[in-house]
Amino acid sequence: MTVDAVEGMPAVYAAARARGLGYDGSFTTQAEHAVDEQGLQRREIGLAIIGAGRIGTMRAKLASSHAAVHSIGVADINEAAAKKLAESAGATIVGSNSLDVISNPAINAVVVATGEHQHVEPVLQALQMGKHVLVEKPIALKLEDADKLIAAAAQSSGSLHVGYSRRFKRRYLTVKEQIALGRLGEVNGLSARIYNSRAQVFQMLKRDPHATPVVDSLTYFVDMLGWWVPDDPAVEVWARGKGGTIRKAGFDCDDVTYAVVTLASGALVNFSCSFALPDKYPSLGYCARIEVIGSEGVLMIDDDHLDQIMYTERGIPHIYVPDLTVNMAFLSSSAPGDWVGGEFWGPLASETRNWLDHVATGKPCMLATPREARSNLAITLAIEEAVATGRAVRLPETAVAR
């Protein structure tokens, strides 16, 4: 079905589509889905969850209610954790060896939700067996490992996508659409600031000392930069950092990092990141402010979650930090989403369903490609290099190709 044949589609959508600016290159209407889906092979999914931690648990429980998922397997080096998740998600395949679960004939799709430093091996195993893979961000902690995964995906009959669930938050989807429709004109500048508590960064760094706020969290906002303006790659990074509380706790990580990224067009991007706020700061996840400045407009996002604040003497459990409760909380600040009425709602839920739909039907999905994820890693590593050396870092075109 052509764009012109879709009754009621605004002309501006058709123009944006002609420029290749939509999601996965197009704005697809419900009418087109009905046509496109005729003839699609509907695949039943046998899903392996590698890593029975917080995110793996959420993905497994979301998958258990998806119509295409007929069986679930769980693997974790902590076999007791694997068995616990298997019981709650109705998994019938369970063990401590990821290869045993991935290679089970009933499995054709794999979620890798291990610690960041453990991504590479199970992703490679699954791709070499021709299975579809969703790996959590960042794709890896080293560019050479990201390259291995990209090469394996290119040779595989399966597919590889990387979880950047911020793409599925409504306010960030809106930015993508408005830029795609040309309403801001040429994007000349972007500013993104994120805050979080030191309690959460300590959890991250205990899991992996290389999973710094820049590489593991600011990467979400670096990803959105590339997703919003995919034809304007980063070419240079300048950054500075200031240590303090986090270093005193024994981790080689700055309290505050500021970076200026220059794009090929000359547009400037300012990233600022601090995960050193007090342990009981009311945020249960990221607090962010974003501004996009265009030649014909400006778009500002307040994502500090100050619109829904609760105080209780009974305490509120922190979604990310075990055994931590707060009395005051920004209720909408949990990055993955929230449990309501026994169901999980939010960006992680939408992302999981979008990927499972893709695996089941072949429909395009909005998750990051491995090349996009590599670009994100290259930029965040360049930010850390610029802080460490005190010098600007030039990015070769091949490092940020999307």
Side-chain angles (χ1 to χ4, degrees), residues 101-116:
V101 174
I102 292 170
S103 60
N104 188 293
I107 298 298
N108 58 10
V110 178
V111 169
V112 176
T114 62
E116 293 83 354

Side-chain angles (χ1 to χ4, degrees), residues 54-55 57-59 61-62 165-166 168-171 200 282-286 303 305 307-310 316-320 326 329-353:
R54 187 176 63 100
I55 298 299
T57 296
M58 291 179 185
R59 300 273 195 201
K61 291 183 178 179
L62 288 163
S165 60
R166 299 290 81 191
F168 289 82
K169 192 166 187 175
R170 181 177 175 183
R171 62 191 62 187
Q200 184 155 333
S283 176
L284 303 178
Y286 308 126
D303 202 20
H305 312 293
D307 55 333
Q308 194 174 14
I309 303 173
M310 182 173 79
I316 305 161
H318 197 291
I319 189 171
Y320 198 92
V326 295
F330 304 154
L331 289 182
S332 58
S333 61
S334 168
D338 298 282
W339 290 99
V340 179
E343 296 287 335
F344 194 77
W345 304 88
L348 189 86
S350 298
E351 180 184 58
T352 302
R353 296 184 186 108

Side-chain angles (χ1 to χ4, degrees), residues 49-282:
I49 303 290
I50 310 303
R54 187 176 63 100
I55 298 299
T57 296
M58 291 179 185
R59 300 273 195 201
K61 291 183 178 179
L62 288 163
S64 68
S65 62
H66 192 280
V69 176
H70 69 87
S71 62
I72 296 176
V74 178
D76 194 287
I77 55 176
N78 181 340
E79 191 164 5
K83 289 179 177 178
K84 181 180 179 181
L85 176 55
E87 182 177 354
S88 65
T92 55
I93 306 162
V94 61
S96 59
N97 187 303
S98 61
L99 180 59
D100 289 346
V101 174
I102 292 170
S103 60
N104 188 293
I107 298 298
N108 58 10
V110 178
V111 169
V112 176
T114 62
E116 293 83 354
H117 63 291
Q118 299 171 317
H119 284 177
V120 177
E121 183 178 9
V123 173
L124 285 175
Q125 290 171 346
L127 289 173
Q128 288 164 0
M129 296 178 202
K131 307 199 176 187
H132 301 284
V133 182
L134 164 56
V135 62
E136 304 299 338
K137 59 78 197 162
I139 186 172
L141 293 173
K142 298 179 181 178
L143 290 175
E144 52 265 38
D145 287 336
D147 290 335
K148 289 179 186 177
L149 300 185
I150 290 171
Q155 296 296 317
S156 178
S157 58
S159 62
L160 176 60
H161 289 89
V162 184
Y164 277 92
S165 60
R166 299 290 81 191
R167 292 187 177 199
F168 289 82
K169 192 166 187 175
R170 181 177 175 183
R171 62 191 62 187
Y172 298 135
L173 282 167
T174 301
V175 178
K176 170 70 174 176
E177 182 172 356
Q178 299 309 312
I179 293 174
L181 296 175
R183 288 178 176 152
L184 299 185
E186 180 181 356
V187 174
N188 293 321
L190 185 147
S191 176
R193 179 272 287 159
I194 62 168
Y195 289 158
N196 208 332
S197 74
R198 64 189 67 159
Q200 184 155 333
V201 79
F202 292 159
Q203 288 293 312
M204 293 162 51
L205 294 170
K206 286 175 184 176
R207 183 179 69 234
D208 189 318
H210 301 291
T212 64
V214 170
V215 172
D216 198 60
S217 298
L218 187 62
T219 185
Y220 276 125
F221 298 86
V222 171
D223 176 68
M224 283 190 290
L225 163 67
W227 187 47
W228 291 340
V229 287
D231 300 323
D232 200 2
V235 295
E236 185 180 69
V237 173
W238 177 94
R240 293 293 184 270
K242 174 66 170 65
T245 300
I246 299 173
R247 291 190 188 279
K248 288 178 182 177
F251 300 102
D252 185 18
C253 178
D254 287 328
D255 282 14
V256 176
T257 302
Y258 286 174
V260 175
V261 178
T262 304
L263 307 185
S265 68
L268 296 176
V269 181
N270 169 49
F271 291 116
S272 59
C273 176
S274 177
F275 276 37
L277 276 63
D279 285 345
K280 293 200 173 186
Y281 186 73

